[in-house]
Amino acid sequence: MTTLFTTRRFVLLLATTTLATYALLATGAALATTDAGSACGTWPLCTDGIASLTDPTLIAVLGHRLLAGIVGLVLALTMVGAWKAEASRRTRIAISGGVALFVIQVAVGGLVVVTGEPVARRAHLAIAAVLFTALLAALGWTLEGESTTERTTVDTAEPAPSSEPASESPSSAPASEPPSNPTRANAERSTHARLRSKGRTYLELTKPRLMWLLCLLALAGMALATTTGQWPDGVTVVATLAGGVLATGASGAFNHAYERDRDQQMSRTADRPVATDQVSAARATLFAFALAVLSMVVLVTLVSRLVAALTLAAIVYYSVLYTVVLKPNTTWNIAIGGGSGALPALIGWAAVTGSIGLPAIVLALIVVVWTPAHFYNLAIVYRDDYARAGYPMFPVVSGISAARRRILLTLGGTLVMTTVLGLVTPLGWLFTLSTITAGGMFLVAAVVQCRRRTDRATLRTFHASNAYLGVVLLAIVAEALVVGVRP
């Protein structure tokens, strides 16, 4: 019992150290884009800036150095805990290597302050990224080695959306004025009800629950583009988002039509409109083509041909490359297919600048790396469904433990790529602190999942991943539009 308790405490300590190291990396990246050297040119103490304690940059520098001291302390405690908890050999090697890297990083940090060399600054951040990766690997190995019994039943499921029309309120018609022709009124109400039901059915074909995040990504791409000094007009913003909504709907309808037979074999998707013959596959396909054409008309007419071309590429990517080629044939379907969901970042940037820039590419890469950390959670929970339908999802083919390792790996990659975005843009402390907070919640949810190994905890990680990306994108919009970031 003592060993088990020590192991649990070690997991908590290691997770805390990993998160603190990420915070150190993110704040260091934020300082690298500011004129920190002018606020504090001495090391390790800011003896030349004590008189300017009201300077926000100086406060940030002091906070970063204090955080470095805390990381050094908890890292040392973690190394001791690794031996006391009898961690695996590779875990102890990773943590010991992390300690050595931290010492080197501190020395390079001092060199950055004293010399101001750009090479030293880049090396300082690179070492921090490697340190974070080493600790994340150690955390994954430790969690994998715990002897918690893994459950195989779904203990939490999301309710399937109902296709039945909502009942009308009795008070919707005035009681004091009964209809003069009850038969005609009842027929009209019945017609309206059928139209509403049919409208909801076709709306479901468009997968509306995916639209908010994709629209937010395009909006973040546009907001990020304003850091170049270019601003879109209202028509461009509305037309870009409207074209994106139509394109998303087209992709969703294509997906419903093509996956009809497999959807019928999965409890999660068996009630979809095409799977239940509420809409024929031919009509769903025709509806998809109509939405795609309308999207192209809106974007070519009101935005630009480049934006229209990128949007068409997103439709083809999801509808053909992912749905037809990747999803039914390879375990890399999600990892590669994430590119379709990342394209709105490029679309939003291109709508403002008329080109594709490095910040937009980095934002798109964040989504690509994030996608497995996000979707593998759902694939774990509904693994029996996917196996029944014949989809080679990674958790089905390689096992749940391997999928959880990859969730941690891609989660770490997502956090690092988000830090890179801060380096290549003038995004400030609102973005940095938001990403640290959301990243911490995402990491905690993943750690809890790996420890408890239940489907309930896995679904919580799925929702935490959604929240993380949402917070990152909202922080970009807030920095660019509310705070008023300028190059």
Side-chain angles (χ1 to χ4, degrees), residues 262 265-266 327-329 385-393:
R262 292 180 189 264
Q265 301 176 53
M266 299 174 61
K327 189 175 180 180
N329 295 306
D385 256 6
Y386 285 116
R388 191 180 308 115
Y391 286 120
M393 292 297 178

Side-chain angles (χ1 to χ4, degrees), residues 101-418:
L101 286 171
F102 179 77
V103 173
I104 296 172
Q105 184 198 18
V106 170
V108 174
L111 189 63
V112 170
V113 174
V114 174
T115 66
E117 286 291 333
V119 174
R121 183 179 292 109
R122 288 192 290 269
H124 184 59
L125 292 172
I127 294 170
V130 175
L131 169 59
F132 170 68
T133 303
L135 293 177
L136 188 67
L139 179 61
W141 292 329
T142 302
L143 290 168
E144 185 181 352
E146 285 194 301
S147 58
T148 308
T149 303
E150 187 168 336
R151 300 180 185 178
T152 58
T153 58
V154 177
D155 56 15
T156 300
E158 296 175 315
S162 175
S163 59
E164 296 295 324
S167 59
E168 292 185 339
S169 170
S171 61
S172 59
S176 59
E177 297 182 11
S180 58
N181 190 335
T183 302
R184 179 179 178 182
N186 290 337
E188 289 178 353
R189 280 198 293 269
S190 177
T191 300
H192 292 160
R194 285 196 299 270
L195 289 174
R196 283 196 298 271
S197 177
K198 184 64 71 175
R200 281 192 292 268
T201 299
Y202 275 88
L203 178 63
E204 188 178 344
L205 286 177
T206 66
K207 297 191 174 182
R209 284 182 290 181
L210 296 177
M211 289 180 181
W212 74 270
L213 198 57
L214 295 174
C215 285
L216 184 56
L217 178 57
L219 189 62
M222 286 188 276
L224 198 60
T226 64
T227 62
T228 65
Q230 302 179 66
W231 289 79
D233 56 38
V235 172
T236 299
V237 173
V238 173
T240 301
L241 295 179
V245 166
L246 292 168
T248 302
S251 301
F254 275 125
N255 181 269
H256 275 267
Y258 184 80
E259 294 185 344
R260 175 182 181 274
D261 294 337
R262 292 180 189 264
D263 281 345
Q264 292 173 341
Q265 301 176 53
M266 299 174 61
S267 59
R268 188 173 67 91
T269 58
D271 63 344
R272 285 179 171 175
V274 182
T276 55
D277 291 322
Q278 297 176 66
V279 179
S280 68
R283 288 187 177 183
T285 303
L286 182 62
F287 179 60
F289 272 113
L291 291 178
V293 170
L294 186 57
S295 173
M296 293 299 101
V297 171
V298 169
L299 294 175
V300 170
T301 304
L302 300 176
V303 189
S304 72
R305 292 181 180 179
L306 174 60
V307 169
L310 289 171
T311 303
L312 181 60
I315 295 174
V316 174
Y317 198 138
Y318 183 82
S319 303
V320 180
L321 180 61
Y322 171 68
T323 300
V324 179
V325 179
L326 295 173
K327 189 175 180 180
N329 295 306
T330 175
T331 59
W332 288 93
N333 46 21
I334 295 301
I336 301 174
S340 63
L343 282 172
L346 304 182
I347 292 168
W349 179 280
V352 177
T353 65
S355 62
I356 298 175
L358 178 60
I361 294 174
V362 174
L363 180 57
L365 287 175
I366 290 173
V367 178
V368 171
V369 180
W370 165 87
T371 300
H374 163 71
F375 194 84
Y376 280 167
N377 297 289
L378 205 62
I380 288 173
V381 173
Y382 293 104
R383 55 196 174 275
D384 293 336
D385 256 6
Y386 285 116
R388 191 180 308 115
Y391 286 120
M393 292 297 178
F394 187 78
V396 175
V397 176
S398 300
I400 298 173
S401 296
R404 288 188 170 127
R405 282 198 305 272
R406 190 168 287 188
I407 287 172
L408 271 179
L409 176 65
T410 52
L411 190 161
T414 303
L415 299 183
V416 172
M417 286 304 303
T418 305

Side-chain angles (χ1 to χ4, degrees), residues 450-461:
C450 290
R451 295 201 66 228
R452 295 182 179 176
R453 303 182 187 182
T454 64
D455 288 336
R456 184 184 299 273
T458 305
L459 274 178
R460 286 175 181 165
T461 310

